[in-house]
Amino acid sequence: MITGKEKKPLIKNLPGKNAKKIIERDKKYVANTTKASPAVVKEAKGIVFEDVDGNIFFDFVSGVGVVNVGHSHPKVVEAIKKQADNFIHFAGTDYYYQVQVDLAEKLCNIAPGRWNKKVYFGNSGAEAIECAIKLTRWATNKKFFISFIGAFHGRTMGAMALTASKIVHKQRFFPWMPGVVHIPYPNPYRNPFGIDGYEEPDELTNAVINYIEYIFKHFLPGDEVAALFSEPIQGEGGYVVPPKNFFRTLKKFLEEKNILLVDDEIQAGFGRTGRMWAIEHFGIQPDIITSAKSIASGLPLSACIYPSKIDFGVKGAHSTTFGGNPVACAASLATIELLEKGLIKNAERQGKLIGKRLKEFVESYEIVGDARGIGLMQATEIVKDKKSKKVFPKARDEIVERCFKKGILLIGCGESAIRYIPPLCINEEQMNNAMDLVEEAIKETGANLKS
Ligand SMILES: Cc1ncc(COP(=O)(O)O)c(C=O)c1O
């Protein structure tokens, strides 16, 4: 039995026989999706999981940014059980129950902005994005959208139209929703403007704003743009943190043009960065927020939070059977309480620790080109060498594999980066021990690929 408080991973039996069998059956019966590492979980608590062969791992993926409060937190489990005993489903879109209103009210209160707000509940991140697409078209009667190159907003036909992260997300799927124009993201480490965004953050910000002005002159009618969608920190696209002043400048520009800003907090939100919402680090209030992933600690739930004045004006314009599921809403309320009562603070504390370690890796190892992130949303970018900054996915994959064999579950992002997103309940000793193992893997990979 694991407790979640284990100080170190313990690998005895890898690759294990039981894991192999399940993976073979999975290959036979389960759709080809995005499988990343051969982790076959049996039990998970806090930041720790045990696989079906008795190996004990540290989870630095959190179910891809979902279990921010830790696996199976007792308070979340209790809330789920209590609600499931009462009723599991009643169609919250068509009828009424308190737990849905309680959660909507809480989300409206904690979302940035003093205006009156409302919440649309869906089941997945992509659905929250679809809601924002339909809502902003509904409210503005304008047709076009802007999003960023490198963005990930989901895989449904509307959300996928906004996504521009990896070509595999779009190959063979055209036509997706028309009307989206992509612009460069202010990636300080590598951008098409050739600007060093760490040294010249204002120049990088201005380059992006000038680019929007430029396309408004040539092919995109600015007064027909309903909304700009952005992640506060690009997630799947590489954990890219924009310059500090970027969103302030962007928001001012958008307000002048009467364009709504949709802040996609699906990966960065819910305490991960050491604030409830990642956009709080940038000092602005977006018009609309989308949330999912960690919102209900692993139960399927998403939310689109928007000003009440732009609500769908007619009944039936938008809805979904499972939206606002009561068990998921109960899990979400318990999750928010845990975050507010200490986990957000811990994310900030542990984020400083890991941020320092990752920056030291950049100093010490030629293949670690960049380290970036806020709170417990951190990444390293792996390169051939620091001068050329050439991407090195082979080395990235080898580091991830070596870490797995040492008992640290990691996952890549972007072309050549690794994300570090443990549950926010990680303690200092666990963090230091995990980082020692990651450092070993980086050192071994560097030596292996050199020889
Ligand atoms: C920022 C962001 N938006 C949207 C999505 C889509 O969420 P889902 O996979 O739940 O549809 C993701 C998923 O990774 C995401 O990271």
Side-chain angles (χ1 to χ4, degrees):
M1 276 280 280
I2 51 171
T3 63
K5 296 285 170 232
E6 286 76 4
K7 293 177 180 169
K8 284 183 181 174
L10 182 62
I11 301 300
K12 299 182 284 195
N13 199 4
L14 207 64
K17 267 201 296 209
N18 298 329
K20 268 192 185 161
K21 274 192 220 149
I22 292 174
I23 291 170
E24 269 161 33
R25 289 178 55 222
D26 185 289
K27 275 194 185 135
K28 187 164 175 201
Y29 293 113
V30 180
N32 194 1
T33 53
T34 44
K35 291 278 197 289
S37 290
V40 184
V41 60
K42 190 182 83 185
E43 191 189 351
K45 293 270 163 2
I47 74 144
V48 181
F49 73 93
E50 184 178 350
D51 78 355
V52 285
D53 296 290
N55 298 301
I56 293 175
F57 294 82
F58 278 9
D59 180 6
F60 267 62
V61 179
S62 296
V64 198
V66 170
V67 290
N68 284 5
V69 302
H71 288 284
S72 290
H73 193 290
K75 294 266 187 225
V76 175
V77 173
E78 189 190 327
I80 289 172
K81 282 183 175 162
K82 199 166 154 212
Q83 180 56 47
D85 271 346
N86 282 350
F87 62 100
I88 294 175
H89 173 81
F90 209 87
T93 44
D94 295 41
Y95 305 103
Y96 304 87
Y97 40 82
Q98 186 178 330
V99 69
Q100 180 176 224
V101 190
D102 287 349
L103 178 59
E105 186 177 1
K106 182 73 189 172
L107 288 171
C108 291
N109 286 337
I110 62 175
R114 284 244 179 93
W115 49 85
N116 292 334
K117 302 179 202 98
K118 285 185 140 189
V119 181
Y120 171 84
F121 288 114
N123 308 289
S124 67
E127 278 185 50
I129 295 290
E130 295 293 335
C131 171
I133 290 171
K134 287 177 72 175
L135 183 67
T136 50
R137 274 199 176 157
W138 170 270
T140 64
N141 212 9
K142 298 194 255 180
K143 307 299 171 207
F144 289 101
F145 299 103
I146 298 174
S147 75
F148 288 102
I149 298 171
F152 188 86
H153 296 292
R155 289 180 163 90
T156 50
M157 286 298 183
M160 181 179 58
L162 297 164
T163 289
S165 164
K166 297 192 177 85
I167 200 69
V168 67
H169 300 145
K170 299 188 101 155
Q171 256 164 353
R172 296 204 194 193
F173 294 134
F174 190 78
W176 44 79
M177 179 190 76
V180 179
V181 173
H182 288 99
I183 60 170
Y185 191 71
N187 178 342
Y189 185 62
R190 51 172 93 244
N191 57 69
F193 307 109
I195 297 169
D196 180 338
Y198 293 130
E199 293 294 322
E200 304 289 350
D202 292 345
E203 204 185 316
L204 183 56
T205 290
N206 292 338
V208 173
I209 303 297
N210 292 342
Y211 188 92
I212 308 178
E213 294 272 27
Y214 174 69
I215 62 174
F216 280 2
K217 265 196 210 140
H218 289 280
F219 65 91
L220 179 64
D223 57 356
E224 292 177 34
V225 177
L228 180 147
F229 283 70
S230 181
E231 295 154 275
I233 297 171
Q234 277 194 344
E236 204 277 337
Y239 276 39
V240 186
V241 186
K244 190 89 190 151
N245 72 342
F246 174 65
F247 282 108
R248 224 188 281 266
T249 312
L250 178 70
K251 183 77 175 90
K252 192 161 165 274
F253 174 85
L254 295 177
E255 271 168 15
E256 280 161 13
K257 309 275 179 205
N258 213 7
I259 297 171
L260 296 166
L261 175 63
V262 181
D263 170 31
D264 180 351
E265 295 266 351
I266 288 166
Q267 184 149 176
F270 258 72
R272 175 139 300 279
T273 63
R275 298 276 188 283
M276 181 57 84
W277 311 102
I279 201 71
E280 291 173 51
H281 293 282
F282 300 95
I284 61 137
Q285 296 164 347
D287 300 292
I288 295 168
I289 284 189
T290 54
S291 178
K293 283 194 181 280
S294 53
I295 190 171
S297 292
L299 292 194
L301 182 72
S302 66
C304 178
I305 309 164
Y306 54 89
S308 309
K309 65 178 186 211
I310 67 166
D311 195 13
F312 294 105
V314 292
K315 196 159 95 174
H318 199 50
S319 189
T320 178
T321 300
F322 291 120
N325 170 272
V327 184
C329 286
S332 183
L333 282 164
T335 299
I336 295 170
E337 195 176 337
L338 288 164
L339 292 174
E340 287 181 332
K341 284 195 170 153
L343 288 177
I344 297 180
K345 267 260 144 293
N346 194 48
E348 191 180 8
R349 219 171 10 244
Q350 300 303 327
K352 287 199 178 120
L353 184 63
I354 187 175
K356 187 165 169 286
R357 286 297 296 270
L358 298 181
K359 289 262 185 294
E360 284 165 9
F361 297 168
V362 178
E363 304 284 305
S364 308
Y365 303 102
E366 187 61 16
I367 58 170
V368 186
D370 192 27
R372 55 200 179 224
I374 308 182
L376 285 179
M377 184 169 186
Q378 296 280 341
T380 47
E381 183 152 331
I382 307 303
V383 293
K384 287 243 154 93
D385 58 85
K386 287 202 172 59
K387 188 149 184 285
S388 75
K389 293 188 184 175
K390 274 201 183 126
V391 291
F392 202 0
K394 188 172 166 212
R396 185 267 310 272
D397 294 347
E398 185 172 326
I399 294 167
V400 169
E401 196 182 330
R402 284 181 187 274
C403 281
F404 181 70
K405 288 181 178 154
K406 293 171 190 292
I408 306 290
L409 187 69
L410 294 172
I411 194 167
C413 59
E415 236 184 311
S416 196
I418 300 170
R419 36 189 148 178
Y420 304 85
I421 45 171
L424 314 186
C425 56
I426 190 165
N427 65 40
E428 194 170 328
E429 191 175 17
Q430 290 172 321
M431 181 64 90
N432 277 325
N433 290 339
M435 285 303 107
D436 289 347
L437 293 171
V438 172
E439 182 163 8
E440 267 179 33
I442 292 172
K443 208 186 289 183
E444 288 162 9
T445 303
N448 182 40
L449 292 174
K450 216 176 186 182
S451 61

